[in-house]
Amino acid sequence: MGQGQMSEDGASVPLPLQMSSIRLASQHLLWKNHLGFLLHPTVALDVQPETFRVAEIGTRTGLWLLDMAKRLPNIQLDGFAIDNSSVPPLQWLPPKVNIRKVESFTTGLASNGQPAYDVIRISNLGASIEDNDPGSVVKTAMALLKPGGYIEWDELDTAHYGIVNSNPSHSTSRLQALLKHVDEHDHLLGARGWIDSLPDILARYGLQVQAGQHRYRLPFAYANVETDNWFKEFEELSYRLANQKDGKELRQLMAAAKDDCDRLGQMITADLVIVVGRKVY
């Protein structure tokens, strides 16, 4: 996306919103490096290249699909994206990778009305979830999933940010003030209280949950990069606020908190939650 990008109504798009793909790519690479897997180990793969298909609901940059294509080059990989502005041009994708833009993750995903996929990964839908209930997305994914197939849902738990302070004698009040302000606009930022209920929600729709909820946190050695990613996301949030005064206030709080992070060794962190369910019928 170029610096002169315009929105649909002809207004100039702020540069931080144009550069969100950098944050998303960094986030993907951090977690891939830390976890060491693209699919959770509880997803048991029995790959038959002629028929095996994988889908990603919530494609952002396409990097996860591209990494999967390196490991399983002979299987079909389909991505579904509401915003495909960070996706590479389709003609640059590997032959077995397809990414399609959709209006929502509850309609327009059907494949001739027949279960099509052996594995469906749902990733970081956050603010795309309506009425704080992801059930409609699970129901749609179930209709696409073959019997015996798996749904893996990966979500950053932005309902429970953590603050890590390298020196407890230093106050984290400015970082706390920033997160409080962010929380007041949580509907724009992403996922909230329903994350803790994901195992029950998957089970409600007939999935056999594999070993409950898995929580992961990046090591402190990644603190600077993880915190920078969160500040980039908060900056994007500040430009999406309808009230420009609120956006300016958020950026002022960010400047003060970032100074403390850099000088005093403070960081923002959030768990990655992974829940895996298997369709047993």
Side-chain angles (χ1 to χ4, degrees):
M1 293 180 289
Q3 187 168 347
Q5 183 179 347
M6 308 294 284
S7 65
E8 292 181 358
D9 61 4
S12 177
V13 176
L15 187 59
L17 295 183
Q18 298 181 42
M19 299 180 67
S20 62
S21 59
I22 298 174
R23 171 182 59 81
L24 294 169
S26 174
Q27 179 178 294
H28 168 77
L29 293 171
L30 274 177
W31 281 107
K32 184 181 77 166
N33 186 59
H34 174 54
L35 295 174
F37 58 77
L38 294 172
L39 286 170
H40 194 270
T42 57
V43 177
L45 298 180
D46 181 17
V47 178
Q48 305 294 326
E50 298 81 8
T51 59
F52 199 88
R53 298 181 68 186
V54 174
E56 181 185 39
I57 296 176
T59 298
R60 306 290 291 277
T61 61
L63 288 177
W64 184 85
L65 292 167
L66 294 174
D67 284 338
M68 283 292 291
K70 290 179 181 178
R71 298 191 183 186
L72 299 170
N74 297 316
I75 69 168
Q76 181 62 43
L77 296 156
D78 296 330
F80 300 98
I82 287 179
D83 178 2
N84 65 352
S85 59
S86 297
V87 170
L90 299 186
Q91 63 268 29
W92 293 356
L93 297 175
K96 290 282 191 176
V97 176
N98 178 60
I99 299 174
R100 179 153 60 94
K101 185 176 182 179
V102 295
E103 294 300 319
S104 79
F105 295 128
T106 58
T107 59
L109 305 188
S111 178
N112 299 322
Q114 298 296 321
Y117 296 104
D118 298 272
V119 177
I120 298 176
R121 179 194 189 233
I122 305 171
S123 175
N124 288 323
L125 296 197
S128 300
I129 298 300
E130 298 178 359
D131 301 322
N132 208 35
D133 181 9
S136 57
V137 177
V138 177
K139 182 178 179 180
T140 299
M142 280 286 286
L144 298 174
L145 190 66
K146 297 176 184 177
Y150 293 86
I151 290 175
E152 174 177 326
W153 195 313
D154 301 0
E155 197 76 40
L156 284 167
D157 189 1
T158 58
H160 303 101
Y161 288 111
I163 295 176
V164 179
N165 192 359
S166 63
N167 188 335
S169 67
H170 292 150
S171 171
T172 60
S173 59
R174 296 204 289 189
L175 205 48
Q176 292 177 43
L178 169 63
L179 294 180
K180 182 177 183 297
H181 196 78
V182 167
D183 194 60
E184 293 170 357
H185 304 284
D186 62 357
H187 63 289
L188 292 175
L189 186 61
R192 308 307 292 172
W194 53 265
I195 286 184
D196 287 335
S197 302
L198 263 179
D200 293 336
I201 294 169
L202 266 61
R204 186 193 313 156
Y205 285 88
L207 289 159
Q208 184 181 79
V209 176
Q210 309 294 294
Q213 182 189 89
H214 309 272
R215 281 186 172 266
Y216 302 91
R217 180 165 289 191
L218 289 170
F220 292 164
Y222 296 174
N224 289 347
V225 180
E226 183 185 11
T227 300
D228 284 349
N229 275 348
W230 286 118
F231 273 90
K232 288 184 177 72
E233 183 157 4
F234 298 160
E235 185 178 19
E236 294 168 27
L237 170 66
S238 76
Y239 285 103
R240 294 202 302 269
L241 297 177
N243 187 326
Q244 293 185 7
K245 183 179 178 181
D246 286 342
K248 184 177 180 180
E249 181 181 357
L250 178 53
R251 289 190 291 275
Q252 290 172 340
L253 289 169
M254 285 175 54
K258 188 65 168 67
D259 180 63
D260 284 355
C261 289
D262 293 340
R263 289 188 306 103
L264 305 178
Q266 298 173 355
M267 67 172 284
I268 304 170
T269 188
D271 290 353
L272 176 66
V273 174
I274 299 179
V275 180
V276 176
R278 189 180 189 196
K279 187 176 182 179
V280 293
Y281 59 88

